[in-house]
């Protein structure tokens, strides 16, 4: 599935993989995020073996009638205020999707899968 945008110049199709990459890049920039938790072990482990960057790791994109719904699976840093980190992820993801792709995120669900000590 993809997001389809029609304008006066023609049609634009944006795949879910592109959306997931933008979301993963936005989430990893937030202070307090130590890593992304994997939802697709086979694909993510293959990318690690091939030494590819995988910003889509831990991101699930679902199509809805009036936009997309995003699930972001994160690992938070110990000692950070987890609710504030999650709120920052939601705001950054919504902003990046709107500004970079012109896609409206109807919901951004942040699921904390673990807590890890932040290395100095």
């Amino acid at each position: 599935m993809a997001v389809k945008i029609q304008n006066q110049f023609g049609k634009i199709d944006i795949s879910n993989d592109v959306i997931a990459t933008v979301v993963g890049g936005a989430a990893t920039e937030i202070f307090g995020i130590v890593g992304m938790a994997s939802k697709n072990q086979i694909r993510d482990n293959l990318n690690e073996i091939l030494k590819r960057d995988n910003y889509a790791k831990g991101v699930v994109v679902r199509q809805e009638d009036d936009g997309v719904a995003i699930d972001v699976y994160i690992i938070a840093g110990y000692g950070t205020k987890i609710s504030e980190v999650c709120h920052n992820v939601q705001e950054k993801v919504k902003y990046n999707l709107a500004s970079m792709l012109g896609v409206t995120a109807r919901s951004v669900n942040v699921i904390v899968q673990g807590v890890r000590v932040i290395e100095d």
Side-chain angles (χ1 to χ4, degrees), residues 85-107:
V85 170
C86 293
H87 181 264
N88 290 342
V89 169
Q90 290 173 326
E91 292 296 320
K92 180 83 171 189
V93 165
K94 281 189 165 194
Y95 175 77
N96 279 12
L97 285 177
S99 65
M100 290 181 178
L101 303 177
V103 174
T104 303
R106 293 296 172 198
S107 65

Side-chain angles (χ1 to χ4, degrees), residues 12-86:
I12 301 169
D13 291 337
I14 302 172
S15 75
N16 285 349
D17 290 335
V18 171
I19 295 170
T21 301
V22 169
V23 169
T28 55
E29 291 177 358
I30 301 295
F31 175 77
I33 302 292
V34 177
M36 302 291 284
S38 179
K39 288 307 294 175
N40 189 345
Q41 293 287 335
I42 295 171
R43 182 186 68 191
D44 293 335
N45 288 337
L46 181 62
N47 283 332
E48 285 180 21
I49 290 170
L50 297 175
K51 303 293 185 204
R52 291 186 195 159
D53 290 336
N54 186 12
Y55 287 114
K57 178 180 178 179
V59 178
V60 177
V61 179
R62 294 186 314 277
Q63 304 297 325
E64 293 185 344
D65 295 334
D66 52 354
V68 294
I70 309 289
D71 295 336
V72 183
Y73 294 84
I74 65 167
I75 299 171
Y78 179 81
T80 60
K81 186 173 181 183
I82 294 175
S83 62
E84 191 64 30
V85 170
C86 293

